[in-house]
Amino acid sequence: MNFCSHCGSNQLDCKVPAGDHVARYVCQVCGTVHYVNPKMVVGCLVVHEERVLLCRRAIEPRYGFWNLPTGFLESGETVEEGAIRETWEEARARVKVERLHSVYSLPHCDQIIIHFVAQLQETGIEAGPESLEVNFFAETEIPWDDMAFSSHRFALERYFENRLKPDKQTYLGSSCLRTS
Ligand SMILES: [Zn+2]
């Protein structure tokens, strides 16, 4: 951080404020303490005829790899609205959120990834500007080795392992706990 977002000063000091326990950028001119908090990332596991919707990335990072339609939550959105919007933007799929599926923490890069199980509202899908291609995959067809992110792989694995169980639960994951 180079400038104070409150007053524009470049006199920032990185220190632990009184009563705090973490170093923050503190403006020496106006006194504003700049807190950095994790970003929310939201997406959908869209299920249609036993298959799940995946998008092949047309953007970095991980260009050419596959992901669930997922992206950063915008200010003013609920998490469900963000997941529905991202699914439209990446796969031109109109969906209805059914339930919360997984929450995955990435503490080393300050992100929380939330995936919902969703159903298609209209049958058409099409690659949006951030996707090279989009398609539905059965469990045996999923390009497991070409998945872009561990958090998406986690959501898919938990879904297919548990989809026939009558009680639906929410799965918690984190990059720190994974060994594979
Ligand atoms: Zn300031």
Side-chain angles (χ1 to χ4, degrees):
M1 175 171 270
N2 296 319
F3 296 96
C4 174
S5 58
H6 184 69
C7 75
S9 155
N10 64 356
Q11 295 179 55
L12 293 170
D13 198 11
C14 189
K15 65 177 185 183
V16 180
D20 205 337
H21 60 285
V22 175
R24 319 278 185 189
Y25 283 102
V26 181
C27 179
Q28 295 179 56
V29 175
C30 73
T32 297
V33 179
H34 296 274
Y35 296 94
V36 179
N37 302 108
K39 287 189 184 300
M40 301 285 292
V41 183
V42 294
C44 287
L45 201 151
V46 184
V47 182
H48 182 63
E49 295 176 347
E50 309 277 299
R51 289 175 154 78
V52 168
L53 177 62
L54 296 179
C55 311
R56 199 154 75 86
R57 296 172 65 78
I59 53 171
E60 296 290 353
R62 307 289 276 160
Y63 180 99
F65 287 79
W66 292 87
N67 62 203
L68 296 167
T70 305
F72 288 106
L73 185 66
E74 300 283 4
S75 294
E77 282 181 327
T78 65
V79 285
E80 306 95 297
E81 288 168 348
I84 290 168
R85 174 184 52 74
E86 286 290 340
T87 304
W88 170 253
E89 288 178 3
E90 293 189 20
R92 294 295 183 245
R94 296 277 186 208
V95 298
K96 180 171 189 279
V97 163
E98 190 176 281
R99 60 187 164 83
L100 178 60
H101 173 65
S102 58
V103 179
Y104 195 95
S105 298
L106 289 169
H108 60 281
C109 60
D110 277 338
Q111 292 180 9
I112 311 288
I113 294 93
I114 295 179
H115 280 120
F116 296 92
V117 169
Q119 302 291 338
L120 266 189
Q121 293 288 85
E122 301 166 11
T123 50
I125 59 167
E126 188 183 318
E130 295 177 2
S131 303
L132 296 170
E133 56 180 310
V134 295
N135 213 336
F136 284 96
F137 294 82
E139 182 177 11
T140 54
E141 301 164 340
I142 287 175
W144 292 104
D145 294 335
D146 291 325
M147 290 300 298
F149 304 112
S150 61
S151 52
H152 298 215
R153 196 181 153 114
F154 173 84
L156 279 170
E157 287 172 346
R158 294 297 86 72
Y159 176 76
F160 281 112
E161 281 168 10
N162 298 288
R163 72 194 161 107
L164 300 179
K165 293 181 181 171
D167 295 330
K168 301 305 178 193
Q169 68 176 93
T170 299
Y171 302 95
L172 292 176
S174 112
S175 61
C176 296
L177 299 175
R178 277 182 66 83
T179 54
S180 60

